[in-house]
Amino acid sequence: MQCPRCHSTQVFKNGRRKNRQCYKCKQCSRQFLESYHSWSYSNDIKQLCLKMYFKGMSLREIERVTDIHHTTVLHWLRQAQSTKDQIAKT
């Protein structure tokens, strides 16, 4: 096990987070996990949520159906709008 900051091998176990082991570096005191996983959604899921919105579903309804927080869907809508605006300007 190596520290991601200083690459030292002098690390020790430092509790658990969401059932994953935490470690702490003795050299630089950085706390880290053994492995990280991506929290991003696939483009298919994003497109599905956008389609549901444009078909008339509210953000809260989309949240209830997909278990994706309504502010995440709102962020995707704003992102899609800004992309559309950038394309229109060119």
Side-chain angles (χ1 to χ4, degrees):
M1 178 74 52
Q2 271 191 337
C3 173
R5 181 184 292 157
C6 69
H7 305 291
S8 170
T9 57
Q10 295 181 351
V11 298
F12 61 94
K13 291 182 178 181
N14 191 33
R16 295 184 74 78
R17 182 179 192 189
K18 294 186 180 181
N19 293 325
R20 295 187 312 181
Q21 184 66 54
C22 292
Y23 295 92
K24 191 168 186 177
C25 178
K26 291 182 180 180
Q27 297 280 325
C28 68
S29 300
R30 165 137 183 200
Q31 182 171 318
F32 60 95
L33 300 173
E34 185 173 11
S35 63
Y36 296 92
H37 62 277
S38 173
W39 288 97
S40 65
Y41 294 97
S42 70
N43 283 333
D44 293 338
I45 296 294
K46 291 178 185 180
Q47 293 301 318
L48 176 66
C49 290
L50 294 176
K51 283 182 185 177
M52 285 192 269
Y53 180 78
F54 291 121
K55 295 275 186 183
M57 289 181 75
S58 71
L59 295 174
R60 299 282 180 162
E61 289 172 328
I62 295 170
E63 179 180 11
R64 282 190 283 273
V65 170
T66 61
D67 288 329
I68 298 172
H69 200 272
H70 64 277
T71 56
T72 302
V73 178
L74 180 61
H75 173 73
W76 294 338
L77 286 167
R78 289 179 177 160
Q79 190 177 28
Q81 182 64 40
S82 68
T83 303
K84 180 182 168 187
D85 291 343
Q86 287 174 355
I87 291 171
K89 287 181 182 178
T90 59

